[in-house]
Amino acid sequence: MPSDNLTDLVLASLEGPRSAFASSLAAAAEQVRGTLAGLSADVDTRNNLLKTQLGGFAAGRINIEKFSTFADGQRSVNAGAVPTLKKAQAVLNELSDTGKDLIQIKVAAGKTVRCGVSRGLARIGRAFGAARCIELAKAGTYNDAEHGKMMEGLHFADWNQAERAMAPPVVVHVQGRSLHPSSLAEFMDGGVKIVLLIDGPCAPATLARLISPNTFVMQTQVATDLDRLAAWAGHGVAAIVPTGAAIFTYAPAGNTAFGNALKIDFAPEDASISPLGSLSAQQQKEDLAMLSALSGAATTPLEARDESPVNPVDQLAAFLLSKANIEEV
Amino acid sequence: MSSQTPPDQAPLFAASQAVEPTTYTLPEHVLEIVSDSGEGAQKCGQSFGSVSAKMGNGAWTVEIIPAEIQPPPRSPAGASGVRIRIGTEAVTNWGDKTKLVIAFNEQVLLSRHRQGDLADDAVILLENMWEDHPDENIRQAWKDAMEEMSANNYRITLCPLEKECLKIVDNPRRGKNMFALGLMSWIYNRDYDRVCGQIQHQFRHKPKEVYERNIELLDAGIKWAEEHMDFRIDVPTKVVTEDLVVMNGNTALGMGAVASGLELCSMYPITPATSVSHYLSEIYDDMGGIVHQAEDEIAAIGVAIGASYAGRVAFTVTSGPGMALKTEFLGLAVMTETPLVVVDVQRGGPSTGLPTKVEQSDLLSSMYGSPGDAPKVILAPATIEECFHIMITARKIAEVFRCTVIVLSDANLATGVTPFPRPVLDPDWQGTQPEILPVPKGTKAMQWDPETGLSKRIIPGQVNGAFIATGLSHDEGSKVSYDPCLNQYSSTMRSRKLAVLQSTLQAPEVFGPENPDLMVIGWGSTKGAIEEACEKARAEGLSVSSTHLTFMSPLQPGIGDILRKAKKVLAVEINYSDEIGDPYITEENRRRSQMAILLRSATLVDVDSWSRVLGQPLCPGEILEVIKSKLA
């Protein structure tokens, strides 16, 4: 299991995007609290809120009770929304109180990393579900049977574009032996950032198959390298790998060729690779070969090749096809 | 060192030899530091003011700002500096005459002398390098200035500022202010650690060596004072029992804007308002918000109206000439009933007028300076603390009443610095964002309540919420209509909102007896000076009260009753009014000060006015003299 110290370092590196999400969560909770106070049946509660909203300058100058007669007229939300708003508020507060644990996912032995990440994101998705329910309740179109489940969990597949963009980073504790990260490709969208803290040995280029035009991919042994992922505007995946695994960073930028965006600091020799869990040595070697191919292919400037310039996406597709057993398909 | 109650006269002292200094304990003192522009007197003075406030003195600083950006050196017009009034009790204004001056040349001192700002027996520490300057013209200018000032009983001590600073820095223009701060710190016995802390804060973005060099200069000033001054001034401090903040009015306005949840400040730079946006630019990145510097004043308010129309409450900040340019869009905001907050940091006018100087001359133009009838809410903070809180109130009123709220600050509040209790932030100040919700079918964009004129705000883009916002006369659905009856009705509805707001207001507070011989009434930044003058008048046995307006439109209720209880009413303002007794001026043709015109119209009380447009705050002493003359 990765040490607590390493986990702390990783969380520290991801603090920027994590706290941005936490702020949004707190702001949403705060906003629903204000809305609820404004909807309170208790006149004193409503007037106290109004008194605060008018600020110190109004003290002794504005009669709050009289002012409230007119302030209430601007209210659009029906009192019938209150139960849903309270439920949503509870969800937001609960998630907010979870703190850094909210973004930590532990993949139990025997479970896949995809399954773990999916469940973790669905838990985070409760915040988006709560926000959606708030809007539905305010609009008077909330139906508990239909919408209530969103507050219990909202799967990544159901997140919209804006929600995917504001996703917090997640830290996944996973056993290296059972790691098949290519299944994480389905989560690579918007601003999703996944960091794998790998326990025990793993395939040397385990993340290689996630390299794609707009996905940041990194294997490193240094937690502070994750600052780059934290600052990355889009989605990405990184792994803190054990000694012996490949060290590389793929940071795509515009139309840069794969190789120019890919920097390999270390790649182990093929000969040292042995079977690991369900992964044969050959499978692991293919990961390494793909990494090497991507790197090598693009290290040669495209315009210097004999053939006409090749689109990097086509290049990757061609490589994958060449490795696929077409007959079985 | 001895301590004694001050004599009637200012302290005498010798400057050439070390003697045991006499300490004069005073309840308050007014001092100034004045230099050419760019020599750092303002920074020095503001630092001194901040340190004094942090030590527990009441403090109020007023910047002395040249009218030009780069005035010629050694010219009276180029005088730049700060006047600081410190006291044991809270200080609410800049006081009367200056008792102690540190001047970097005789020309800037001459400027202060000519303006009549110095006490007849003021103590002056004057840079001595000009007396024997190689340039004959400078020597002559020195001689002439000394002669001009000789009729007064100033106690001038020559001080080798340049010579002493040259021992530490190559360019004394960049060091004299810290040497001067040392002089002031020793004379007023300021806490050395706090002074160093203030310098450290001031140079926090500079290399450590810069801080260290400035401390050397500070120490040199303290040492020189210790060796040459024979008096010290003790203005006792009070133990600070609550958290205080020290800031100027523009910073307070900016901070208040953030606290109130205003997310967009759309502006075009204009003195003396610009520093509001400077402050916001620094903090909006962290707090969430945007300062949009538009291409001109008109675009600036246009962007603010657009943002507000789209569901935010935005504000724009400007000064008098900017307000003039925004006039048409102000009308649009009123006509479309788009919530909008406009901050006008008033300066001397008309036209470009006195960009860096204070006036309260935008009251009537804010209220009536639009074609057609464009009713607006107008608020005026009276203190720097209120500059903070007023933004929260302004936003809420703008939202609830779907109206334009103009906040009339002024240059006195904008650049003055004073301590006030640290606001305890409350998230509810930010209110709730306008609901982005489907609109009930059939709801109209201007569905005026026939009694109150209020209507529910619709955010465009929502289901059933489409409407065309137009500056043309329109019906409840915001559809253009030239029906004359409708124009009468819609004008009534927009105007009614002010009456409704007034129905929620409370009468202003009266300081002093309810039935005085004279009621002095003011608004905005004159509050401190007026109340101090009235207090002194009452102490002299005069029957004087004062009241201060913060809601200028609508006026707070009950003002007529308050004024009618007084035998005489005097409006005191920093704007122009004719003087009875001047050629051609009669009671019939006399142009009165702006609030006086308003009050006469609203209450039918014979409100007299006394006002000045000297480009500087009013002094309590001069108001007291006016009070006495009115009651004579």
Coordinates of all heavy atoms in Angstrom, one line a residue, chain A residues 184-255:
Chain A
L184 N -9.9 2.7 -18.3 CA -10.2 4.1 -17.8 C -10.5 5.1 -19.0 O -10.9 6.2 -18.7 CB -9.1 4.6 -17.0 CG -8.8 3.8 -15.7 CD1 -7.6 4.4 -14.9 CD2 -10.0 3.8 -14.8
A185 N -10.3 4.6 -20.2 CA -10.5 5.5 -21.3 C -11.8 6.1 -21.4 O -12.0 7.3 -21.8 CB -10.2 4.8 -22.6
E186 N -12.8 5.4 -20.9 CA -14.2 5.9 -21.0 C -14.4 7.1 -20.1 O -15.4 7.9 -20.2 CB -15.2 4.8 -20.6 CG -15.2 4.5 -19.2 CD -16.4 3.5 -18.8 OE1 -17.5 3.9 -18.6 OE2 -16.1 2.3 -18.8
F187 N -13.5 7.3 -19.1 CA -13.6 8.5 -18.2 C -12.8 9.7 -18.7 O -12.8 10.7 -18.0 CB -13.2 8.1 -16.8 CG -13.9 6.9 -16.2 CD1 -13.2 5.7 -15.9 CD2 -15.3 7.0 -16.0 CE1 -13.9 4.6 -15.4 CE2 -16.0 5.9 -15.5 CZ -15.3 4.7 -15.2
M188 N -12.1 9.5 -19.7 CA -11.2 10.6 -20.2 C -12.0 11.6 -21.0 O -12.0 11.5 -22.3 CB -10.0 10.0 -21.0 CG -9.0 9.2 -20.2 SD -8.1 10.2 -19.0 CE -8.9 9.9 -17.5
D189 N -12.5 12.5 -20.3 CA -13.3 13.6 -21.0 C -13.4 14.8 -20.0 O -13.2 14.6 -18.8 CB -14.7 13.0 -21.2 CG -15.5 13.9 -22.2 OD1 -14.9 14.7 -22.9 OD2 -16.8 13.9 -22.1
G190 N -13.7 15.9 -20.6 CA -13.8 17.1 -19.8 C -12.6 17.4 -19.0 O -11.5 17.5 -19.5
G191 N -12.8 17.6 -17.7 CA -11.6 17.9 -16.8 C -11.2 16.8 -15.9 O -10.5 17.1 -14.9
V192 N -11.7 15.6 -16.2 CA -11.4 14.5 -15.3 C -9.9 14.2 -15.2 O -9.2 14.1 -16.2 CB -12.2 13.2 -15.7 CG1 -11.8 12.0 -14.9 CG2 -13.7 13.4 -15.7
K193 N -9.4 14.1 -14.0 CA -8.0 13.8 -13.8 C -7.9 12.6 -12.8 O -8.5 12.7 -11.7 CB -7.3 15.0 -13.2 CG -7.2 16.2 -14.2 CD -6.6 17.4 -13.5 CE -6.4 18.5 -14.5 NZ -7.7 19.0 -15.0
I194 N -7.3 11.5 -13.2 CA -7.2 10.3 -12.4 C -5.7 10.1 -12.1 O -4.9 10.1 -13.0 CB -7.8 9.1 -13.1 CG1 -9.3 9.4 -13.4 CG2 -7.6 7.8 -12.3 CD1 -9.9 8.3 -14.3
V195 N -5.5 9.9 -10.8 CA -4.1 9.6 -10.4 C -4.1 8.2 -9.7 O -4.9 8.0 -8.8 CB -3.6 10.6 -9.4 CG1 -2.2 10.2 -8.9 CG2 -3.5 12.0 -10.0
L196 N -3.3 7.3 -10.3 CA -3.3 5.9 -9.7 C -2.1 5.8 -8.8 O -0.9 6.1 -9.2 CB -3.1 4.9 -10.9 CG -4.2 5.0 -12.0 CD1 -3.8 4.1 -13.2 CD2 -5.6 4.6 -11.4
L197 N -2.4 5.4 -7.6 CA -1.3 5.1 -6.6 C -1.2 3.6 -6.6 O -2.1 2.9 -6.0 CB -1.7 5.7 -5.2 CG -1.5 7.2 -5.0 CD1 -1.8 7.5 -3.6 CD2 -0.1 7.6 -5.4
I198 N -0.1 3.1 -7.2 CA -0.1 1.6 -7.4 C 0.7 0.9 -6.3 O 1.8 1.3 -5.9 CB 0.6 1.4 -8.8 CG1 -0.2 2.0 -9.9 CG2 0.8 -0.1 -9.0 CD1 0.4 2.1 -11.2
D199 N 0.1 -0.1 -5.8 CA 0.7 -0.9 -4.7 C 1.2 -2.2 -5.4 O 0.5 -2.9 -6.1 CB -0.4 -1.2 -3.7 CG 0.2 -1.9 -2.5 OD1 1.4 -1.7 -2.2 OD2 -0.6 -2.5 -1.8
G200 N 2.5 -2.4 -5.2 CA 3.2 -3.6 -5.7 C 3.6 -3.4 -7.1 O 3.4 -2.3 -7.7
P201 N 4.1 -4.5 -7.7 CA 4.6 -4.4 -9.1 C 3.4 -4.2 -10.1 O 2.3 -4.6 -9.8 CB 5.3 -5.7 -9.3 CG 4.7 -6.6 -8.3 CD 4.3 -5.8 -7.2
C202 N 3.8 -3.5 -11.2 CA 2.7 -3.4 -12.2 C 3.4 -3.5 -13.6 O 4.6 -3.5 -13.7 CB 2.1 -2.0 -12.1 SG 3.1 -0.6 -12.5
A203 N 2.6 -3.5 -14.7 CA 3.2 -3.6 -16.0 C 4.0 -2.3 -16.3 O 3.6 -1.3 -15.8 CB 2.0 -3.7 -17.0
P204 N 5.1 -2.5 -17.0 CA 6.1 -1.3 -17.0 C 5.5 -0.1 -17.8 O 5.8 1.0 -17.4 CB 7.3 -1.9 -17.8 CG 6.8 -3.1 -18.5 CD 5.6 -3.7 -17.6
A205 N 4.7 -0.3 -18.8 CA 4.1 0.9 -19.5 C 2.6 0.8 -19.4 O 1.9 0.8 -20.4 CB 4.6 0.9 -20.9
T206 N 2.1 0.6 -18.2 CA 0.7 0.3 -18.0 C -0.3 1.4 -18.5 O -1.4 1.1 -18.9 CB 0.4 0.1 -16.5 OG1 -0.9 -0.3 -16.3 CG2 0.7 1.4 -15.6
L207 N 0.2 2.6 -18.6 CA -0.7 3.7 -19.1 C -0.6 3.9 -20.6 O -1.3 4.8 -21.2 CB -0.5 5.0 -18.3 CG -0.8 5.0 -16.8 CD1 -0.7 6.4 -16.3 CD2 -2.1 4.4 -16.5
A208 N 0.4 3.2 -21.2 CA 0.7 3.6 -22.6 C -0.5 3.5 -23.5 O -0.7 4.4 -24.4 CB 1.7 2.6 -23.2
R209 N -1.4 2.6 -23.3 CA -2.6 2.5 -24.2 C -3.6 3.6 -24.0 O -4.6 3.6 -24.7 CB -3.3 1.1 -24.0 CG -2.4 0.0 -24.6 CD -3.0 -1.4 -24.3 NE -2.1 -2.4 -24.5 CZ -2.1 -3.2 -25.6 NH1 -3.0 -3.1 -26.5 NH2 -1.2 -4.2 -25.8
L210 N -3.4 4.4 -23.0 CA -4.3 5.5 -22.8 C -3.9 6.8 -23.6 O -4.6 7.8 -23.6 CB -4.5 5.9 -21.3 CG -5.3 4.9 -20.5 CD1 -5.1 5.1 -19.0 CD2 -6.7 4.9 -20.9
I211 N -2.7 6.7 -24.2 CA -2.2 7.9 -24.9 C -3.2 8.1 -26.1 O -3.4 7.2 -26.9 CB -0.8 7.7 -25.4 CG1 0.1 7.7 -24.2 CG2 -0.4 8.7 -26.4 CD1 1.6 7.4 -24.5
S212 N -3.7 9.3 -26.2 CA -4.6 9.7 -27.3 C -4.5 11.2 -27.4 O -3.9 11.9 -26.6 CB -6.0 9.2 -27.0 OG -6.5 9.8 -25.8
P213 N -5.0 11.7 -28.5 CA -4.6 13.1 -28.9 C -4.8 14.2 -27.8 O -3.9 15.1 -27.7 CB -5.5 13.4 -30.1 CG -5.8 12.1 -30.7 CD -5.8 11.1 -29.6
N214 N -5.8 14.1 -27.0 CA -6.0 15.2 -26.0 C -5.9 14.7 -24.6 O -6.4 15.4 -23.7 CB -7.4 15.8 -26.3 CG -7.4 16.5 -27.6 OD1 -6.5 17.3 -27.9 ND2 -8.4 16.3 -28.4
T215 N -5.4 13.6 -24.4 CA -5.3 13.1 -23.0 C -3.9 13.2 -22.5 O -2.9 12.7 -23.1 CB -5.7 11.6 -23.0 OG1 -7.0 11.5 -23.5 CG2 -5.7 11.1 -21.5
F216 N -3.8 13.8 -21.3 CA -2.5 13.9 -20.6 C -2.2 12.6 -19.9 O -3.1 12.1 -19.2 CB -2.5 15.1 -19.6 CG -1.2 15.3 -18.9 CD1 -0.4 16.3 -19.2 CD2 -0.9 14.5 -17.8 CE1 0.8 16.6 -18.5 CE2 0.3 14.8 -17.1 CZ 1.1 15.8 -17.4
V217 N -1.0 12.0 -20.2 CA -0.7 10.7 -19.6 C 0.7 10.8 -19.0 O 1.6 11.3 -19.6 CB -0.7 9.6 -20.6 CG1 -0.5 8.2 -20.0 CG2 -2.1 9.6 -21.3
M218 N 0.8 10.3 -17.8 CA 2.1 10.4 -17.1 C 2.4 9.2 -16.2 O 1.5 8.8 -15.5 CB 2.2 11.7 -16.2 CG 3.4 11.8 -15.3 SD 3.3 13.2 -14.2 CE 4.0 14.5 -15.2
Q219 N 3.6 8.6 -16.3 CA 4.0 7.7 -15.3 C 5.2 8.3 -14.7 O 6.2 8.7 -15.3 CB 4.4 6.3 -16.0 CG 3.2 5.5 -16.4 CD 3.5 4.1 -16.8 OE1 2.7 3.4 -17.3 NE2 4.8 3.6 -16.6
T220 N 5.2 8.3 -13.4 CA 6.3 8.9 -12.6 C 6.5 8.3 -11.3 O 5.6 7.5 -10.8 CB 6.0 10.4 -12.4 OG1 7.1 11.0 -11.7 CG2 4.7 10.7 -11.6
Q221 N 7.6 8.6 -10.7 CA 7.8 8.1 -9.3 C 7.8 9.3 -8.3 O 8.0 9.1 -7.1 CB 9.1 7.3 -9.2 CG 9.1 6.0 -10.0 CD 10.4 5.3 -10.1 OE1 11.5 5.9 -9.8 NE2 10.4 4.0 -10.4
V222 N 7.7 10.5 -8.9 CA 7.8 11.7 -8.0 C 6.4 12.4 -7.9 O 5.9 12.8 -8.9 CB 8.8 12.6 -8.6 CG1 9.0 13.9 -7.7 CG2 10.2 11.9 -8.8
A223 N 5.9 12.5 -6.7 CA 4.6 13.0 -6.6 C 4.5 14.4 -7.0 O 3.4 14.8 -7.6 CB 4.2 12.9 -5.1
T224 N 5.5 15.2 -6.9 CA 5.4 16.6 -7.2 C 5.3 16.8 -8.8 O 4.9 17.9 -9.2 CB 6.6 17.4 -6.7 OG1 7.8 16.7 -7.1 CG2 6.6 17.6 -5.2
D225 N 5.6 15.8 -9.5 CA 5.5 15.9 -11.0 C 4.0 16.0 -11.3 O 3.6 16.5 -12.4 CB 6.0 14.6 -11.7 CG 7.5 14.5 -11.7 OD1 8.1 15.5 -11.4 OD2 8.0 13.5 -12.1
L226 N 3.1 15.6 -10.4 CA 1.7 15.7 -10.6 C 1.2 17.2 -10.7 O 0.1 17.4 -11.1 CB 0.9 15.0 -9.5 CG 1.2 13.5 -9.5 CD1 0.5 12.9 -8.3 CD2 0.7 12.8 -10.7
D227 N 2.1 18.1 -10.3 CA 1.7 19.5 -10.5 C 1.3 19.8 -12.0 O 0.4 20.7 -12.2 CB 2.9 20.4 -10.1 CG 3.2 20.4 -8.6 OD1 2.3 19.8 -7.9 OD2 4.2 20.9 -8.2
R228 N 2.0 19.1 -12.9 CA 1.7 19.4 -14.3 C 0.3 18.9 -14.6 O -0.4 19.5 -15.4 CB 2.7 18.6 -15.2 CG 4.1 19.3 -15.2 CD 5.0 18.7 -16.3 NE 4.5 19.0 -17.6 CZ 5.0 18.4 -18.7 NH1 6.0 17.5 -18.6 NH2 4.6 18.8 -19.9
L229 N -0.1 17.7 -14.1 CA -1.4 17.2 -14.3 C -2.5 18.2 -13.7 O -3.5 18.5 -14.3 CB -1.6 15.8 -13.7 CG -3.0 15.2 -13.8 CD1 -3.4 15.0 -15.3 CD2 -3.1 13.9 -13.0
A230 N -2.1 18.7 -12.5 CA -3.1 19.6 -11.8 C -3.3 20.8 -12.6 O -4.4 21.4 -12.6 CB -2.5 19.9 -10.4
A231 N -2.2 21.3 -13.2 CA -2.4 22.5 -14.0 C -2.9 22.3 -15.4 O -3.3 23.2 -16.1 CB -1.0 23.2 -14.1
W232 N -3.1 21.0 -15.8 CA -3.5 20.7 -17.1 C -5.0 21.1 -17.3 O -5.8 20.9 -16.4 CB -3.4 19.2 -17.3 CG -3.7 18.7 -18.7 CD1 -4.7 18.0 -19.2 CD2 -2.8 18.9 -19.9 NE1 -4.6 17.8 -20.5 CE2 -3.4 18.3 -21.0 CE3 -1.5 19.5 -20.0 CZ2 -2.9 18.3 -22.2 CZ3 -1.0 19.5 -21.3 CH2 -1.6 18.9 -22.4
A233 N -5.3 21.8 -18.4 CA -6.6 22.3 -18.6 C -7.7 21.2 -18.8 O -8.8 21.3 -18.5 CB -6.7 23.3 -19.7
G234 N -7.3 20.1 -19.4 CA -8.2 19.1 -19.8 C -8.2 17.9 -18.9 O -7.9 17.9 -17.8
H235 N -8.5 16.7 -19.5 CA -8.5 15.5 -18.8 C -7.1 14.8 -18.9 O -6.3 15.1 -19.8 CB -9.6 14.5 -19.3 CG -9.5 14.3 -20.8 ND1 -10.2 15.2 -21.7 CD2 -8.9 13.4 -21.5 CE1 -10.0 14.7 -22.9 NE2 -9.2 13.7 -22.9
G236 N -6.9 13.9 -17.9 CA -5.6 13.2 -17.9 C -5.5 12.1 -16.9 O -6.4 12.0 -16.0
V237 N -4.5 11.3 -17.0 CA -4.3 10.2 -16.1 C -2.8 10.1 -15.8 O -2.0 10.3 -16.6 CB -4.9 8.9 -16.7 CG1 -4.2 8.5 -18.0 CG2 -4.7 7.7 -15.7
A238 N -2.5 9.8 -14.5 CA -1.1 9.7 -14.1 C -1.0 8.5 -13.1 O -2.0 8.2 -12.5 CB -0.7 11.0 -13.5
A239 N 0.1 7.9 -13.1 CA 0.3 6.8 -12.2 C 1.7 7.0 -11.5 O 2.7 7.4 -12.1 CB 0.3 5.5 -12.9
I240 N 1.6 6.8 -10.1 CA 2.9 6.8 -9.4 C 3.3 5.3 -9.4 O 2.7 4.4 -8.8 CB 2.7 7.2 -7.9 CG1 2.1 8.6 -7.9 CG2 4.0 7.1 -7.2 CD1 3.0 9.8 -8.3
V241 N 4.3 5.0 -10.2 CA 4.7 3.6 -10.5 C 5.9 3.2 -9.7 O 6.7 4.0 -9.2 CB 5.0 3.5 -12.0 CG1 3.8 3.7 -12.9 CG2 6.1 4.4 -12.4
P242 N 6.0 1.9 -9.5 CA 7.1 1.3 -8.7 C 8.4 1.4 -9.5 O 8.4 1.6 -10.7 CB 6.7 -0.1 -8.4 CG 5.7 -0.4 -9.5 CD 5.0 0.8 -9.9
T243 N 9.5 1.2 -8.8 CA 10.8 1.2 -9.5 C 10.8 0.1 -10.6 O 10.3 -1.0 -10.4 CB 11.9 0.9 -8.5 OG1 11.7 1.8 -7.4 CG2 13.3 1.0 -9.1
G244 N 11.4 0.4 -11.7 CA 11.5 -0.6 -12.8 C 10.5 -0.3 -13.9 O 10.6 -0.8 -15.0
A245 N 9.4 0.5 -13.6 CA 8.4 0.8 -14.6 C 8.9 2.0 -15.4 O 9.8 2.7 -15.0 CB 7.1 1.1 -13.9
A246 N 8.3 2.1 -16.6 CA 8.7 3.2 -17.5 C 8.3 4.5 -16.9 O 7.3 4.7 -16.1 CB 8.0 3.1 -18.8
I247 N 9.1 5.6 -17.1 CA 8.8 6.9 -16.7 C 8.6 7.8 -18.0 O 9.6 7.9 -18.8 CB 10.0 7.5 -15.9 CG1 10.4 6.6 -14.7 CG2 9.7 8.9 -15.4 CD1 9.3 6.4 -13.7
F248 N 7.5 8.3 -18.1 CA 7.2 9.1 -19.3 C 6.1 10.1 -19.1 O 5.3 10.0 -18.1 CB 6.9 8.2 -20.5 CG 5.6 7.5 -20.4 CD1 4.4 8.2 -20.9 CD2 5.5 6.3 -19.9 CE1 3.2 7.5 -20.8 CE2 4.2 5.6 -19.8 CZ 3.1 6.3 -20.3
T249 N 6.1 11.1 -19.9 CA 5.0 12.1 -19.9 C 4.5 12.4 -21.3 O 5.3 12.6 -22.2 CB 5.5 13.4 -19.3 OG1 6.1 13.2 -18.0 CG2 4.3 14.4 -19.1
Y250 N 3.2 12.3 -21.4 CA 2.7 12.7 -22.7 C 1.8 13.9 -22.5 O 0.7 13.8 -21.8 CB 1.8 11.5 -23.3 CG 1.1 11.9 -24.5 CD1 1.7 12.1 -25.7 CD2 -0.3 12.0 -24.5 CE1 1.0 12.5 -26.9 CE2 -1.0 12.4 -25.7 CZ -0.3 12.6 -26.8 OH -1.0 13.0 -28.0
A251 N 2.2 15.0 -23.0 CA 1.5 16.3 -22.8 C 1.1 16.9 -24.1 O 1.9 17.6 -24.7 CB 2.3 17.2 -21.9
P252 N 0.0 16.5 -24.7 CA -0.3 17.0 -26.0 C -0.5 18.5 -26.1 O -1.0 19.0 -25.1 CB -1.6 16.2 -26.4 CG -2.2 15.9 -25.1 CD -1.1 15.7 -24.1
A253 N -0.2 19.1 -27.2 CA -0.4 20.5 -27.3 C -0.7 20.8 -28.8 O 0.1 20.6 -29.7 CB 0.9 21.3 -26.9
G254 N -1.9 21.1 -29.0 CA -2.4 21.5 -30.4 C -2.2 20.3 -31.3 O -2.5 19.2 -31.0
N255 N -1.6 20.6 -32.4 CA -1.3 19.6 -33.4 C 0.0 18.9 -33.3 O 0.5 18.3 -34.3 CB -1.5 20.1 -34.8 CG -3.0 20.5 -35.1 OD1 -3.9 19.8 -34.6 ND2 -3.2 21.6 -35.7

